[in-house]
Amino acid sequence: GESVGLHLPTLSVQEGDNSIINCAYSNSASDYFIWYKQESGKGPQFIIDIRSNMDKRQGQRVTVLLNKTVKHLSLQIAATQPGDSAVYFCAEKAGFQKLVFGTGTRLLVSP
Amino acid sequence: ETGVTQTPRHLVMGMTNKKSLKCEQHLGHNAMYWYKQSAKKPLELMFVYNFKEQTENNSVPSRFSPECPNSSHLFLHLHTLQPEDSALYLCASSQPPASQGGTDTQYFGPGTRLTVL
């Protein structure tokens, strides 16, 4: 899966399926994580964030899970739709006002 | 769409040209950022401004010159660029964590696609 380091380039799913995008981070001291969605020709769009004092946070059709033991972050998208097709990347807080970004996972949703 | 606008959206320039990128945020934030996004590479932080003062320069070449006249506007002045500077330049804003309502969340504009010939 994606990491602030590695990435899984493409994830293909069928419309209506649930999608899971993974991210591994390296700094066990990171206390803030964020997921962005970037559609072609657009800037990154904030999806959801989570602080290290939480394991799970839910938004509208999205859930972020944080496993601090293995330094793993995941984004779950329920009932994936064609409009969800985009590049998704995670970022971790690496210092004051510093976010370190992963290279991204491209999500392709087919009808 | 996100409260952060950037102009122009596309820019083609020669290596001897001088051009400027503009960013404006309508979110009432006091921190603004410039990032560079190249193909197949993570976003690279270039500059950070807090309350109009530059607080971070991430070893950016001097051919990139930022300017922040107020908390809502940010410019990136470009001169004698190289072809390898071709990329998507993104502006972001946030409310500094130490200030009231502060957060680590950064909100991005749509970017300027820059091509240097």
Side-chain angles (χ1 to χ4, degrees), chain B residues 58-91:
Chain B
N58 198 25
S59 302
V60 180
S62 60
R63 57 186 184 268
F64 295 90
S65 176
E67 178 190 1
C68 189
N70 55 62
S71 292
S72 299
H73 294 84
L74 185 65
F75 295 88
L76 188 63
H77 304 300
L78 316 171
H79 63 99
T80 59
L81 294 191
Q82 305 299 311
E84 58 265 29
D85 296 322
S86 298
L88 182 68
Y89 287 85
L90 291 160
C91 174

Side-chain angles (χ1 to χ4, degrees), chain A residues 32 36 38 41 43 49 51 97, chain B residues 9 37 42 50 104-106 109:
Chain A
Y32 176 76
Y36 287 96
Q38 188 172 22
D49 58 2
R51 295 214 170 266
Q97 291 180 305
Chain B
R9 294 296 307 277
Q37 187 176 36
N50 281 279
D104 293 303
T105 309
Q106 297 178 19

Side-chain angles (χ1 to χ4, degrees), chain B residues 1-6 23-27 91-93 107-110:
Chain B
E1 63 188 310
T2 63
V4 181
T5 59
Q6 291 186 243
C23 174
E24 183 174 0
Q25 59 94 2
H26 313 273
L27 300 170
C91 174
S93 73
Y107 296 89
F108 286 85

